[in-house]
mmCIF file of all heavy atoms in Angstrom:
data_model
loop_
_atom_site.group_PDB
_atom_site.id
_atom_site.type_symbol
_atom_site.label_atom_id
_atom_site.label_comp_id
_atom_site.label_asym_id
_atom_site.label_seq_id
_atom_site.Cartn_x
_atom_site.Cartn_y
_atom_site.Cartn_z
ATOM 1 N N MET A 1 27.193 17.055 -4.741
ATOM 2 C CA MET A 1 28.305 17.693 -4.178
ATOM 3 C C MET A 1 28.429 19.214 -4.556
ATOM 4 O O MET A 1 29.469 19.659 -4.651
ATOM 5 C CB MET A 1 29.475 16.883 -4.578
ATOM 6 C CG MET A 1 29.539 15.485 -4.185
ATOM 7 S SD MET A 1 29.989 15.337 -2.474
ATOM 8 C CE MET A 1 31.564 14.554 -2.725
ATOM 9 N N ASP A 2 27.289 19.815 -4.798
ATOM 10 C CA ASP A 2 27.294 21.242 -5.107
ATOM 11 C C ASP A 2 26.807 21.923 -3.843
ATOM 12 O O ASP A 2 25.852 21.587 -3.217
ATOM 13 C CB ASP A 2 26.354 21.523 -6.278
ATOM 14 C CG ASP A 2 26.790 20.912 -7.568
ATOM 15 O OD1 ASP A 2 27.903 21.325 -7.953
ATOM 16 O OD2 ASP A 2 26.075 20.017 -8.092
ATOM 17 N N ALA A 3 27.495 23.032 -3.505
ATOM 18 C CA ALA A 3 27.101 23.794 -2.291
ATOM 19 C C ALA A 3 27.348 25.249 -2.504
ATOM 20 O O ALA A 3 28.330 25.675 -3.025
ATOM 21 C CB ALA A 3 27.989 23.365 -1.049
ATOM 22 N N ASP A 4 26.344 26.095 -2.192
ATOM 23 C CA ASP A 4 26.381 27.456 -2.273
ATOM 24 C C ASP A 4 25.867 28.021 -0.928
ATOM 25 O O ASP A 4 25.324 27.256 -0.121
ATOM 26 C CB ASP A 4 25.570 28.041 -3.406
ATOM 27 C CG ASP A 4 26.085 27.553 -4.752
ATOM 28 O OD1 ASP A 4 27.311 27.525 -4.949
ATOM 29 O OD2 ASP A 4 25.250 27.151 -5.565
ATOM 30 N N ILE A 5 26.002 29.297 -0.665
ATOM 31 C CA ILE A 5 25.552 29.835 0.631
ATOM 32 C C ILE A 5 24.573 31.065 0.407
ATOM 33 O O ILE A 5 24.882 31.896 -0.425
ATOM 34 C CB ILE A 5 26.731 30.365 1.476
ATOM 35 C CG1 ILE A 5 27.723 29.212 1.815
ATOM 36 C CG2 ILE A 5 26.252 31.112 2.715
ATOM 37 C CD1 ILE A 5 28.951 29.632 2.466
ATOM 38 N N VAL A 6 23.471 31.060 1.051
ATOM 39 C CA VAL A 6 22.572 32.228 0.978
ATOM 40 C C VAL A 6 22.325 32.589 2.379
ATOM 41 O O VAL A 6 21.967 31.828 3.273
ATOM 42 C CB VAL A 6 21.155 31.660 0.367
ATOM 43 C CG1 VAL A 6 20.235 32.872 0.355
ATOM 44 C CG2 VAL A 6 21.405 31.183 -1.005
ATOM 45 N N ALA A 7 22.456 33.884 2.736
ATOM 46 C CA ALA A 7 22.115 34.534 4.003
ATOM 47 C C ALA A 7 20.917 35.442 3.761
ATOM 48 O O ALA A 7 20.924 36.306 2.895
ATOM 49 C CB ALA A 7 23.323 35.309 4.514
ATOM 50 N N PHE A 8 19.879 35.172 4.558
ATOM 51 C CA PHE A 8 18.688 36.022 4.432
ATOM 52 C C PHE A 8 18.053 36.267 5.771
ATOM 53 O O PHE A 8 18.318 35.561 6.738
ATOM 54 C CB PHE A 8 17.642 35.345 3.457
ATOM 55 C CG PHE A 8 17.167 34.043 3.938
ATOM 56 C CD1 PHE A 8 16.015 33.906 4.724
ATOM 57 C CD2 PHE A 8 17.883 32.869 3.621
ATOM 58 C CE1 PHE A 8 15.559 32.715 5.174
ATOM 59 C CE2 PHE A 8 17.430 31.597 4.056
ATOM 60 C CZ PHE A 8 16.274 31.518 4.830
ATOM 61 N N ASP A 9 17.203 37.233 5.842
ATOM 62 C CA ASP A 9 16.472 37.584 7.000
ATOM 63 C C ASP A 9 15.056 36.911 6.917
ATOM 64 O O ASP A 9 14.270 37.245 6.085
ATOM 65 C CB ASP A 9 16.252 39.104 7.161
ATOM 66 C CG ASP A 9 15.560 39.536 8.406
ATOM 67 O OD1 ASP A 9 15.009 38.669 9.046
ATOM 68 O OD2 ASP A 9 15.619 40.709 8.660
ATOM 69 N N PRO A 10 14.776 35.871 7.765
ATOM 70 C CA PRO A 10 13.546 35.115 7.599
ATOM 71 C C PRO A 10 12.268 35.990 7.948
ATOM 72 O O PRO A 10 11.200 35.665 7.515
ATOM 73 C CB PRO A 10 13.690 34.003 8.653
ATOM 74 C CG PRO A 10 14.703 34.430 9.584
ATOM 75 C CD PRO A 10 15.678 35.339 8.816
ATOM 76 N N THR A 11 12.478 37.164 8.561
ATOM 77 C CA THR A 11 11.316 38.034 8.874
ATOM 78 C C THR A 11 10.925 38.882 7.687
ATOM 79 O O THR A 11 9.849 39.446 7.638
ATOM 80 C CB THR A 11 11.543 38.873 10.148
ATOM 81 O OG1 THR A 11 12.662 39.701 9.871
ATOM 82 C CG2 THR A 11 11.836 37.991 11.352
ATOM 83 N N THR A 12 11.878 39.127 6.779
ATOM 84 C CA THR A 12 11.590 40.030 5.603
ATOM 85 C C THR A 12 11.732 39.347 4.235
ATOM 86 O O THR A 12 11.401 40.029 3.283
ATOM 87 C CB THR A 12 12.540 41.239 5.634
ATOM 88 O OG1 THR A 12 13.880 40.804 5.496
ATOM 89 C CG2 THR A 12 12.407 42.035 6.929
ATOM 90 N N VAL A 13 12.164 38.175 4.150
ATOM 91 C CA VAL A 13 12.354 37.532 2.906
ATOM 92 C C VAL A 13 11.003 37.331 2.213
ATOM 93 O O VAL A 13 10.063 36.866 2.841
ATOM 94 C CB VAL A 13 13.187 36.220 2.919
ATOM 95 C CG1 VAL A 13 12.385 35.106 3.617
ATOM 96 C CG2 VAL A 13 13.705 35.835 1.582
ATOM 97 N N SER A 14 10.931 37.639 0.918
ATOM 98 C CA SER A 14 9.712 37.440 0.144
ATOM 99 C C SER A 14 10.028 37.496 -1.343
ATOM 100 O O SER A 14 10.979 38.074 -1.778
ATOM 101 C CB SER A 14 8.662 38.526 0.466
ATOM 102 O OG SER A 14 9.046 39.722 0.081
ATOM 103 N N ASP A 15 9.228 36.785 -2.093
ATOM 104 C CA ASP A 15 9.341 36.677 -3.560
ATOM 105 C C ASP A 15 8.616 37.753 -4.159
ATOM 106 O O ASP A 15 7.346 37.894 -3.953
ATOM 107 C CB ASP A 15 8.866 35.246 -4.013
ATOM 108 C CG ASP A 15 9.062 35.057 -5.483
ATOM 109 O OD1 ASP A 15 9.787 35.866 -6.120
ATOM 110 O OD2 ASP A 15 8.505 34.057 -5.924
ATOM 111 N N LEU A 16 9.220 38.624 -4.996
ATOM 112 C CA LEU A 16 8.508 39.723 -5.639
ATOM 113 C C LEU A 16 8.156 39.371 -7.120
ATOM 114 O O LEU A 16 7.524 40.271 -7.702
ATOM 115 C CB LEU A 16 9.464 40.945 -5.591
ATOM 116 C CG LEU A 16 9.856 41.402 -4.240
ATOM 117 C CD1 LEU A 16 10.829 42.614 -4.297
ATOM 118 C CD2 LEU A 16 8.622 41.761 -3.368
ATOM 119 N N ALA A 17 8.571 38.266 -7.640
ATOM 120 C CA ALA A 17 8.326 37.886 -9.003
ATOM 121 C C ALA A 17 6.853 37.543 -9.188
ATOM 122 O O ALA A 17 6.148 37.072 -8.328
ATOM 123 C CB ALA A 17 9.177 36.693 -9.441
ATOM 124 N N THR A 18 6.367 37.885 -10.428
ATOM 125 C CA THR A 18 4.986 37.541 -10.851
ATOM 126 C C THR A 18 5.113 36.871 -12.189
ATOM 127 O O THR A 18 6.206 36.885 -12.853
ATOM 128 C CB THR A 18 4.148 38.760 -10.933
ATOM 129 O OG1 THR A 18 4.635 39.614 -11.949
ATOM 130 C CG2 THR A 18 4.020 39.591 -9.629
ATOM 131 N N TYR A 19 3.995 36.316 -12.681
ATOM 132 C CA TYR A 19 4.018 35.736 -14.027
ATOM 133 C C TYR A 19 4.310 36.799 -15.047
ATOM 134 O O TYR A 19 5.014 36.567 -16.081
ATOM 135 C CB TYR A 19 2.712 35.149 -14.317
ATOM 136 C CG TYR A 19 2.489 33.694 -13.707
ATOM 137 C CD1 TYR A 19 1.706 33.507 -12.592
ATOM 138 C CD2 TYR A 19 3.242 32.635 -14.132
ATOM 139 C CE1 TYR A 19 1.573 32.341 -11.981
ATOM 140 C CE2 TYR A 19 3.196 31.369 -13.483
ATOM 141 C CZ TYR A 19 2.296 31.236 -12.394
ATOM 142 O OH TYR A 19 2.210 30.038 -11.859
ATOM 143 N N GLU A 20 3.797 37.980 -14.878
ATOM 144 C CA GLU A 20 3.972 39.072 -15.852
ATOM 145 C C GLU A 20 5.414 39.648 -15.735
ATOM 146 O O GLU A 20 5.979 40.188 -16.696
ATOM 147 C CB GLU A 20 2.969 40.182 -15.657
ATOM 148 C CG GLU A 20 1.576 39.769 -15.875
ATOM 149 C CD GLU A 20 0.938 39.023 -14.720
ATOM 150 O OE1 GLU A 20 1.431 39.140 -13.543
ATOM 151 O OE2 GLU A 20 0.021 38.268 -14.935
ATOM 152 N N ASN A 21 6.037 39.652 -14.543
ATOM 153 C CA ASN A 21 7.307 40.204 -14.300
ATOM 154 C C ASN A 21 8.181 39.294 -13.529
ATOM 155 O O ASN A 21 8.425 39.500 -12.336
ATOM 156 C CB ASN A 21 7.179 41.572 -13.544
ATOM 157 C CG ASN A 21 8.399 42.403 -13.687
ATOM 158 O OD1 ASN A 21 9.387 42.107 -14.268
ATOM 159 N ND2 ASN A 21 8.241 43.610 -13.063
ATOM 160 N N ALA A 22 8.655 38.218 -14.212
ATOM 161 C CA ALA A 22 9.272 37.094 -13.476
ATOM 162 C C ALA A 22 10.744 37.388 -13.087
ATOM 163 O O ALA A 22 11.227 36.683 -12.180
ATOM 164 C CB ALA A 22 9.242 35.863 -14.416
ATOM 165 N N ASN A 23 11.387 38.285 -13.660
ATOM 166 C CA ASN A 23 12.823 38.552 -13.388
ATOM 167 C C ASN A 23 13.022 39.586 -12.290
ATOM 168 O O ASN A 23 13.562 40.608 -12.464
ATOM 169 C CB ASN A 23 13.502 38.948 -14.685
ATOM 170 C CG ASN A 23 15.029 38.902 -14.500
ATOM 171 O OD1 ASN A 23 15.506 38.276 -13.633
ATOM 172 N ND2 ASN A 23 15.710 39.618 -15.413
ATOM 173 N N GLN A 24 12.518 39.248 -11.074
ATOM 174 C CA GLN A 24 12.637 40.133 -9.922
ATOM 175 C C GLN A 24 13.418 39.465 -8.797
ATOM 176 O O GLN A 24 13.174 38.316 -8.447
ATOM 177 C CB GLN A 24 11.206 40.450 -9.397
ATOM 178 C CG GLN A 24 10.376 41.251 -10.349
ATOM 179 C CD GLN A 24 11.014 42.548 -10.725
ATOM 180 O OE1 GLN A 24 11.352 43.321 -9.876
ATOM 181 N NE2 GLN A 24 11.139 42.832 -12.021
ATOM 182 N N PRO A 25 14.369 40.170 -8.224
ATOM 183 C CA PRO A 25 15.160 39.591 -7.083
ATOM 184 C C PRO A 25 14.274 39.430 -5.830
ATOM 185 O O PRO A 25 13.369 40.262 -5.669
ATOM 186 C CB PRO A 25 16.312 40.528 -6.860
ATOM 187 C CG PRO A 25 15.800 41.825 -7.452
ATOM 188 C CD PRO A 25 14.893 41.489 -8.579
ATOM 189 N N ALA A 26 14.570 38.488 -5.020
ATOM 190 C CA ALA A 26 13.794 38.322 -3.760
ATOM 191 C C ALA A 26 14.121 39.453 -2.817
ATOM 192 O O ALA A 26 15.271 39.897 -2.776
ATOM 193 C CB ALA A 26 14.134 36.979 -3.142
ATOM 194 N N LYS A 27 13.175 39.876 -1.998
ATOM 195 C CA LYS A 27 13.383 40.840 -0.972
ATOM 196 C C LYS A 27 13.964 40.175 0.240
ATOM 197 O O LYS A 27 13.471 39.124 0.616
ATOM 198 C CB LYS A 27 12.094 41.548 -0.672
ATOM 199 C CG LYS A 27 12.128 42.565 0.418
ATOM 200 C CD LYS A 27 10.734 43.175 0.610
ATOM 201 C CE LYS A 27 10.738 43.946 1.915
ATOM 202 N NZ LYS A 27 9.372 44.350 2.240
ATOM 203 N N GLY A 28 14.853 40.815 1.032
ATOM 204 C CA GLY A 28 15.359 40.269 2.258
ATOM 205 C C GLY A 28 16.532 39.304 2.095
ATOM 206 O O GLY A 28 16.994 38.841 3.098
ATOM 207 N N VAL A 29 16.985 39.119 0.879
ATOM 208 C CA VAL A 29 18.210 38.309 0.707
ATOM 209 C C VAL A 29 19.409 39.199 0.811
ATOM 210 O O VAL A 29 19.538 40.077 0.038
ATOM 211 C CB VAL A 29 18.157 37.585 -0.748
ATOM 212 C CG1 VAL A 29 19.472 36.788 -0.947
ATOM 213 C CG2 VAL A 29 17.013 36.687 -0.802
ATOM 214 N N HIS A 30 20.314 38.921 1.785
ATOM 215 C CA HIS A 30 21.416 39.738 2.044
ATOM 216 C C HIS A 30 22.737 39.335 1.294
ATOM 217 O O HIS A 30 23.364 40.178 0.669
ATOM 218 C CB HIS A 30 21.749 39.780 3.530
ATOM 219 C CG HIS A 30 22.794 40.779 3.933
ATOM 220 N ND1 HIS A 30 24.077 40.354 4.096
ATOM 221 C CD2 HIS A 30 22.770 42.085 4.181
ATOM 222 C CE1 HIS A 30 24.833 41.411 4.454
ATOM 223 N NE2 HIS A 30 24.035 42.473 4.518
ATOM 224 N N THR A 31 22.974 38.068 1.239
ATOM 225 C CA THR A 31 24.202 37.591 0.692
ATOM 226 C C THR A 31 23.973 36.220 -0.048
ATOM 227 O O THR A 31 23.283 35.364 0.512
ATOM 228 C CB THR A 31 25.288 37.362 1.683
ATOM 229 O OG1 THR A 31 25.491 38.596 2.413
ATOM 230 C CG2 THR A 31 26.639 36.850 1.179
ATOM 231 N N VAL A 32 24.526 36.056 -1.260
ATOM 232 C CA VAL A 32 24.524 34.797 -1.925
ATOM 233 C C VAL A 32 25.929 34.584 -2.409
ATOM 234 O O VAL A 32 26.487 35.406 -3.150
ATOM 235 C CB VAL A 32 23.547 34.751 -3.159
ATOM 236 C CG1 VAL A 32 23.697 33.471 -3.866
ATOM 237 C CG2 VAL A 32 22.134 35.021 -2.643
ATOM 238 N N LEU A 33 26.552 33.476 -2.042
ATOM 239 C CA LEU A 33 27.849 32.982 -2.617
ATOM 240 C C LEU A 33 27.633 31.839 -3.546
ATOM 241 O O LEU A 33 26.942 30.868 -3.135
ATOM 242 C CB LEU A 33 28.776 32.633 -1.476
ATOM 243 C CG LEU A 33 29.358 33.774 -0.629
ATOM 244 C CD1 LEU A 33 29.998 33.162 0.617
ATOM 245 C CD2 LEU A 33 30.344 34.528 -1.447
ATOM 246 N N VAL A 34 28.191 31.859 -4.738
ATOM 247 C CA VAL A 34 28.153 30.822 -5.614
ATOM 248 C C VAL A 34 29.578 30.487 -6.005
ATOM 249 O O VAL A 34 30.262 31.293 -6.538
ATOM 250 C CB VAL A 34 27.353 31.114 -6.884
ATOM 251 C CG1 VAL A 34 27.461 29.980 -7.876
ATOM 252 C CG2 VAL A 34 25.901 31.395 -6.556
ATOM 253 N N ASN A 35 29.955 29.273 -5.699
ATOM 254 C CA ASN A 35 31.346 28.846 -5.997
ATOM 255 C C ASN A 35 32.403 29.785 -5.402
ATOM 256 O O ASN A 35 33.431 30.079 -6.056
ATOM 257 C CB ASN A 35 31.501 28.659 -7.505
ATOM 258 C CG ASN A 35 32.718 27.789 -7.894
ATOM 259 O OD1 ASN A 35 33.064 26.876 -7.051
ATOM 260 N ND2 ASN A 35 33.224 27.974 -9.021
ATOM 261 N N GLY A 36 32.139 30.252 -4.185
ATOM 262 C CA GLY A 36 33.009 31.172 -3.511
ATOM 263 C C GLY A 36 33.084 32.602 -3.973
ATOM 264 O O GLY A 36 33.838 33.373 -3.517
ATOM 265 N N THR A 37 32.129 32.949 -4.832
ATOM 266 C CA THR A 37 32.093 34.343 -5.432
ATOM 267 C C THR A 37 30.787 34.989 -5.080
ATOM 268 O O THR A 37 29.708 34.298 -5.191
ATOM 269 C CB THR A 37 32.214 34.290 -6.934
ATOM 270 O OG1 THR A 37 33.479 33.652 -7.283
ATOM 271 C CG2 THR A 37 32.185 35.707 -7.569
ATOM 272 N N PHE A 38 30.785 36.250 -4.614
ATOM 273 C CA PHE A 38 29.556 36.935 -4.308
ATOM 274 C C PHE A 38 28.695 37.126 -5.546
ATOM 275 O O PHE A 38 29.185 37.624 -6.601
ATOM 276 C CB PHE A 38 29.815 38.287 -3.681
ATOM 277 C CG PHE A 38 30.312 38.209 -2.266
ATOM 278 C CD1 PHE A 38 31.642 38.387 -1.998
ATOM 279 C CD2 PHE A 38 29.393 38.082 -1.239
ATOM 280 C CE1 PHE A 38 31.997 38.308 -0.647
ATOM 281 C CE2 PHE A 38 29.791 38.007 0.064
ATOM 282 C CZ PHE A 38 31.132 38.097 0.386
ATOM 283 N N VAL A 39 27.387 36.729 -5.504
ATOM 284 C CA VAL A 39 26.456 37.000 -6.534
ATOM 285 C C VAL A 39 25.523 38.056 -5.998
ATOM 286 O O VAL A 39 25.026 38.896 -6.790
ATOM 287 C CB VAL A 39 25.707 35.707 -6.957
ATOM 288 C CG1 VAL A 39 24.653 36.005 -7.953
ATOM 289 C CG2 VAL A 39 26.719 34.694 -7.419
ATOM 290 N N VAL A 40 25.203 38.044 -4.719
ATOM 291 C CA VAL A 40 24.461 39.108 -4.045
ATOM 292 C C VAL A 40 25.308 39.495 -2.825
ATOM 293 O O VAL A 40 25.670 38.642 -2.072
ATOM 294 C CB VAL A 40 23.073 38.654 -3.591
ATOM 295 C CG1 VAL A 40 22.398 39.745 -2.739
ATOM 296 C CG2 VAL A 40 22.174 38.236 -4.797
ATOM 297 N N GLU A 41 25.644 40.752 -2.666
ATOM 298 C CA GLU A 41 26.393 41.319 -1.607
ATOM 299 C C GLU A 41 25.800 42.476 -0.996
ATOM 300 O O GLU A 41 25.452 43.423 -1.753
ATOM 301 C CB GLU A 41 27.792 41.544 -2.036
ATOM 302 C CG GLU A 41 28.804 41.905 -0.897
ATOM 303 C CD GLU A 41 30.202 42.106 -1.343
ATOM 304 O OE1 GLU A 41 30.494 42.200 -2.595
ATOM 305 O OE2 GLU A 41 31.110 42.068 -0.519
ATOM 306 N N ASN A 42 25.499 42.398 0.252
ATOM 307 C CA ASN A 42 24.784 43.551 0.988
ATOM 308 C C ASN A 42 23.443 43.800 0.376
ATOM 309 O O ASN A 42 23.086 45.077 0.212
ATOM 310 C CB ASN A 42 25.681 44.845 1.091
ATOM 311 C CG ASN A 42 26.913 44.500 1.862
ATOM 312 O OD1 ASN A 42 26.909 43.904 2.877
ATOM 313 N ND2 ASN A 42 27.995 45.071 1.408
ATOM 314 N N GLY A 43 22.765 42.828 -0.211
ATOM 315 C CA GLY A 43 21.476 43.013 -0.728
ATOM 316 C C GLY A 43 21.501 43.447 -2.204
ATOM 317 O O GLY A 43 20.465 43.619 -2.818
ATOM 318 N N GLU A 44 22.668 43.629 -2.788
ATOM 319 C CA GLU A 44 22.785 44.155 -4.167
ATOM 320 C C GLU A 44 23.180 42.999 -5.052
ATOM 321 O O GLU A 44 24.227 42.275 -4.848
ATOM 322 C CB GLU A 44 23.819 45.316 -4.225
ATOM 323 C CG GLU A 44 23.410 46.472 -3.499
ATOM 324 C CD GLU A 44 22.158 47.184 -4.050
ATOM 325 O OE1 GLU A 44 22.009 47.220 -5.266
ATOM 326 O OE2 GLU A 44 21.393 47.659 -3.196
ATOM 327 N N LEU A 45 22.477 42.765 -6.110
ATOM 328 C CA LEU A 45 22.837 41.795 -7.184
ATOM 329 C C LEU A 45 24.095 42.210 -7.922
ATOM 330 O O LEU A 45 24.137 43.349 -8.398
ATOM 331 C CB LEU A 45 21.629 41.564 -8.142
ATOM 332 C CG LEU A 45 21.813 40.528 -9.213
ATOM 333 C CD1 LEU A 45 21.950 39.171 -8.663
ATOM 334 C CD2 LEU A 45 20.599 40.580 -10.109
ATOM 335 N N LYS A 46 25.023 41.264 -8.033
ATOM 336 C CA LYS A 46 26.204 41.540 -8.878
ATOM 337 C C LYS A 46 25.931 41.098 -10.270
ATOM 338 O O LYS A 46 25.992 39.979 -10.560
ATOM 339 C CB LYS A 46 27.432 40.735 -8.280
ATOM 340 C CG LYS A 46 27.779 41.103 -6.807
ATOM 341 C CD LYS A 46 28.411 42.432 -6.787
ATOM 342 C CE LYS A 46 28.941 42.658 -5.367
ATOM 343 N NZ LYS A 46 29.548 43.900 -5.229
ATOM 344 N N ILE A 47 25.652 41.952 -11.180
ATOM 345 C CA ILE A 47 25.277 41.697 -12.542
ATOM 346 C C ILE A 47 26.399 41.041 -13.283
ATOM 347 O O ILE A 47 26.202 40.174 -14.113
ATOM 348 C CB ILE A 47 24.815 42.917 -13.309
ATOM 349 C CG1 ILE A 47 23.565 43.590 -12.634
ATOM 350 C CG2 ILE A 47 24.539 42.693 -14.791
ATOM 351 C CD1 ILE A 47 22.334 42.704 -12.578
ATOM 352 N N ASP A 48 27.657 41.434 -12.964
ATOM 353 C CA ASP A 48 28.795 40.891 -13.690
ATOM 354 C C ASP A 48 29.331 39.555 -13.106
ATOM 355 O O ASP A 48 30.358 39.074 -13.567
ATOM 356 C CB ASP A 48 29.936 41.873 -13.757
ATOM 357 C CG ASP A 48 30.424 42.371 -12.359
ATOM 358 O OD1 ASP A 48 29.736 42.129 -11.411
ATOM 359 O OD2 ASP A 48 31.424 43.029 -12.363
ATOM 360 N N ALA A 49 28.717 38.973 -12.121
ATOM 361 C CA ALA A 49 29.165 37.724 -11.533
ATOM 362 C C ALA A 49 29.110 36.655 -12.448
ATOM 363 O O ALA A 49 28.011 36.458 -13.193
ATOM 364 C CB ALA A 49 28.334 37.400 -10.253
ATOM 365 N N ASP A 50 30.133 35.840 -12.622
ATOM 366 C CA ASP A 50 30.092 34.690 -13.616
ATOM 367 C C ASP A 50 30.536 33.379 -13.017
ATOM 368 O O ASP A 50 31.043 32.557 -13.682
ATOM 369 C CB ASP A 50 31.025 35.113 -14.808
ATOM 370 C CG ASP A 50 32.480 35.249 -14.362
ATOM 371 O OD1 ASP A 50 32.796 35.183 -13.188
ATOM 372 O OD2 ASP A 50 33.340 35.490 -15.243
ATOM 373 N N SER A 51 30.272 33.224 -11.766
ATOM 374 C CA SER A 51 30.612 32.017 -11.094
ATOM 375 C C SER A 51 29.457 30.931 -11.185
ATOM 376 O O SER A 51 28.347 31.272 -11.536
ATOM 377 C CB SER A 51 30.942 32.214 -9.635
ATOM 378 O OG SER A 51 29.818 32.710 -9.003
ATOM 379 N N GLY A 52 29.818 29.778 -10.937
ATOM 380 C CA GLY A 52 28.828 28.635 -10.950
ATOM 381 C C GLY A 52 28.430 28.144 -12.328
ATOM 382 O O GLY A 52 28.905 28.666 -13.305
ATOM 383 N N GLN A 53 27.628 27.163 -12.292
ATOM 384 C CA GLN A 53 27.110 26.606 -13.510
ATOM 385 C C GLN A 53 25.797 25.992 -13.222
ATOM 386 O O GLN A 53 25.476 25.609 -12.105
ATOM 387 C CB GLN A 53 28.105 25.522 -14.061
ATOM 388 C CG GLN A 53 28.327 24.346 -13.127
ATOM 389 C CD GLN A 53 29.408 23.419 -13.599
ATOM 390 O OE1 GLN A 53 30.140 23.700 -14.532
ATOM 391 N NE2 GLN A 53 29.464 22.246 -13.002
ATOM 392 N N PRO A 54 24.980 25.832 -14.228
ATOM 393 C CA PRO A 54 23.633 25.261 -14.005
ATOM 394 C C PRO A 54 23.721 23.747 -13.592
ATOM 395 O O PRO A 54 24.664 23.075 -14.078
ATOM 396 C CB PRO A 54 22.847 25.295 -15.292
ATOM 397 C CG PRO A 54 23.923 25.687 -16.262
ATOM 398 C CD PRO A 54 25.116 26.179 -15.579
ATOM 399 N N ILE A 55 22.870 23.292 -12.762
ATOM 400 C CA ILE A 55 22.761 21.928 -12.335
ATOM 401 C C ILE A 55 21.619 21.287 -13.122
ATOM 402 O O ILE A 55 20.484 21.729 -12.965
ATOM 403 C CB ILE A 55 22.574 21.730 -10.857
ATOM 404 C CG1 ILE A 55 23.708 22.342 -10.109
ATOM 405 C CG2 ILE A 55 22.401 20.288 -10.448
ATOM 406 C CD1 ILE A 55 23.483 22.406 -8.563
ATOM 407 N N ARG A 56 21.877 20.380 -13.968
ATOM 408 C CA ARG A 56 20.866 19.810 -14.814
ATOM 409 C C ARG A 56 20.734 18.296 -14.554
ATOM 410 O O ARG A 56 21.624 17.655 -14.176
ATOM 411 C CB ARG A 56 21.159 20.065 -16.280
ATOM 412 C CG ARG A 56 21.365 21.514 -16.564
ATOM 413 C CD ARG A 56 21.254 21.808 -18.056
ATOM 414 N NE ARG A 56 21.663 23.106 -18.357
ATOM 415 C CZ ARG A 56 20.838 24.220 -18.346
ATOM 416 N NH1 ARG A 56 19.668 24.056 -17.898
ATOM 417 N NH2 ARG A 56 21.292 25.447 -18.625
ATOM 418 N N ARG A 57 19.508 17.830 -14.772
ATOM 419 C CA ARG A 57 19.283 16.413 -14.732
ATOM 420 C C ARG A 57 18.286 16.023 -15.833
ATOM 421 O O ARG A 57 17.642 16.900 -16.356
ATOM 422 C CB ARG A 57 18.701 16.004 -13.408
ATOM 423 C CG ARG A 57 17.362 16.527 -13.078
ATOM 424 C CD ARG A 57 16.925 16.013 -11.757
ATOM 425 N NE ARG A 57 15.654 16.628 -11.462
ATOM 426 C CZ ARG A 57 14.629 16.035 -10.916
ATOM 427 N NH1 ARG A 57 14.750 14.742 -10.560
ATOM 428 N NH2 ARG A 57 13.455 16.622 -10.676
ATOM 429 N N ALA A 58 18.241 14.805 -16.244
ATOM 430 C CA ALA A 58 17.391 14.317 -17.288
ATOM 431 C C ALA A 58 15.971 14.528 -16.853
ATOM 432 O O ALA A 58 15.535 14.319 -15.726
ATOM 433 C CB ALA A 58 17.608 12.901 -17.607
ATOM 434 N N ILE A 59 15.052 14.885 -17.832
ATOM 435 C CA ILE A 59 13.656 15.001 -17.623
ATOM 436 C C ILE A 59 13.039 13.671 -17.487
ATOM 437 O O ILE A 59 13.255 12.788 -18.323
ATOM 438 C CB ILE A 59 13.012 15.809 -18.751
ATOM 439 C CG1 ILE A 59 13.549 17.214 -18.782
ATOM 440 C CG2 ILE A 59 11.491 15.814 -18.570
ATOM 441 C CD1 ILE A 59 13.068 18.044 -19.961
ATOM 442 N N GLN A 60 12.323 13.462 -16.411
ATOM 443 C CA GLN A 60 11.613 12.146 -16.215
ATOM 444 C C GLN A 60 10.201 12.251 -16.640
ATOM 445 O O GLN A 60 9.481 13.142 -16.247
ATOM 446 C CB GLN A 60 11.679 11.792 -14.758
ATOM 447 C CG GLN A 60 13.060 11.600 -14.260
ATOM 448 C CD GLN A 60 13.141 11.275 -12.752
ATOM 449 O OE1 GLN A 60 12.074 11.193 -12.099
ATOM 450 N NE2 GLN A 60 14.359 11.151 -12.238
ATOM 451 N N GLU A 61 9.798 11.343 -17.497
ATOM 452 C CA GLU A 61 8.433 11.386 -18.014
ATOM 453 C C GLU A 61 7.579 10.431 -17.263
ATOM 454 O O GLU A 61 7.955 9.448 -16.777
ATOM 455 C CB GLU A 61 8.482 11.043 -19.534
ATOM 456 C CG GLU A 61 9.135 12.174 -20.253
ATOM 457 C CD GLU A 61 9.181 11.901 -21.719
ATOM 458 O OE1 GLU A 61 8.270 11.252 -22.262
ATOM 459 O OE2 GLU A 61 10.060 12.465 -22.398
#
């Protein structure tokens, strides 16, 4: 029952992260809403956004 919204351009979206530089935002992501709060707005990451919480589950061996 967790829902967030991501708006992206399917023609330009791409992952820029590498193993050496893993903390890179995706290109082409326009808007991300988490728990009703903007985390990405107009393509810009909101560093001070504090909404949402991690979704965790038990590790299955």
